[in-house]
Amino acid sequence: MRGRLVAGNWKMHGSRATNPALLDAVLAGVAGLAGVECAVCVPFPYLSEASARLAGSKLALGAQTLSEFRSGAYTGEVSAAMLADFGCRFVLVGHSERRGLFGETDAQVAAKFAAAAKAGLTPVLCVGETLAEREGARTEQVVARQLDAVLDLSGAAALAGAVLAYEPVWAIGTGRTASPQQAQDVHAFLRARVAERDAGVAAKLRILYGGSVKPGNAAEIFAMKDVDGGLIGGASLVSEDFLAICKAAVSKG
Ligand code: PGA
């Protein structure tokens, strides 16, 4: 039985004035939840304060990206070791906004994944197709290419300590969600792709769905066989919504 995971991705939202109330409300809610692991990925400047607030709690801390380099003359970059230093457990790697808006390539994403794993963080590798790619029936080809870049560099064994997130680009922040069956189909495809290299790792791999997950649609998506939780953007900024989604992910098994 794979454990369930729900991770919030605050993206570039938050402030010192509003974060404490949001974090405290989520902390209070997850304290009573069993059967699901919950995490929040906050912007870099808030890691320190969030880390102090979350210490010893059931809410894990994550970051939204990292440098592929270990240390050195890389102005503006943040290393995996720095994230570990702040108590991060998770780090998103290759989110579609990083790929699409900041030009991250498959090779760079694979290097970031390797850097995160090496530092003992749990990388959450994000893959997903654009609307044009889906309409051109290229979904499997695209997510396979994104996944293979990591498998080729780090090997299937590296996925044993990682999480995969399927996030169709056309569903992110658009209010348009993949149907539970569309999500299931891609999740099953990804799991099978990993299984070609290592069946044991594939069976245990947690694959999250992300893209306009809300309290109203979470349960039906999480009910699918190969969906092990969610990566939540907009709804992670509202404590009641995020907690409702965490509750919907509680495993029944
Ligand atoms: P959304 O974002 O839930 O706002 O669609 C998901 C994500 O980008 O991780």
Side-chain angles (χ1 to χ4, degrees), residues 59-184:
L59 186 61
L61 185 62
Q64 301 172 12
T65 185
L66 79 164
S67 171
E68 61 269 46
F69 303 111
R70 211 157 59 93
S71 67
Y74 301 104
T75 301
E77 292 293 282
V78 174
S79 73
M82 291 171 186
L83 298 181
D85 209 11
F86 276 102
C88 279
R89 164 109 192 279
F90 297 97
V91 60
L92 306 183
V93 178
H95 187 282
S96 65
E97 286 151 19
R98 302 297 318 170
R99 294 177 190 264
L101 301 172
F102 302 101
E104 288 188 7
T105 62
D106 291 335
Q108 206 179 352
V109 170
K112 285 173 189 256
F113 180 100
K118 203 163 173 204
L121 299 167
T122 300
V124 179
L125 173 66
C126 304
V127 301
E129 82 287 3
T130 63
L131 187 58
E133 288 162 345
R134 174 162 283 266
E135 287 175 344
R138 295 201 305 280
T139 297
E140 292 189 349
Q141 183 191 321
V142 169
V143 297
R145 192 199 71 223
Q146 293 169 335
L147 174 63
D148 287 356
V150 169
L151 289 170
D152 291 345
L153 184 71
S154 295
L159 277 185
V163 174
L164 201 55
Y166 169 55
E167 295 205 306
V169 179
W170 47 272
I172 295 177
T174 57
R176 193 175 158 188
T177 325
S179 70
Q181 193 57 51
Q182 282 175 322
Q184 168 58 27

Side-chain angles (χ1 to χ4, degrees), residues 9 11 95 97 167 171-173 211-213 231-234:
N9 171 12
K11 309 194 179 186
H95 187 282
E97 286 151 19
E167 295 205 306
I172 295 177
S212 297
V213 178
L231 181 53
I232 317 302

Side-chain angles (χ1 to χ4, degrees), residues 6 14 29 74 117 126 164 167 174 196 198 209 220 249 252:
V6 175
Y74 301 104
C126 304
L164 201 55
E167 295 205 306
T174 57
E196 284 171 19
D198 190 321
Y209 169 79
E220 57 175 11
K252 289 158 198 83

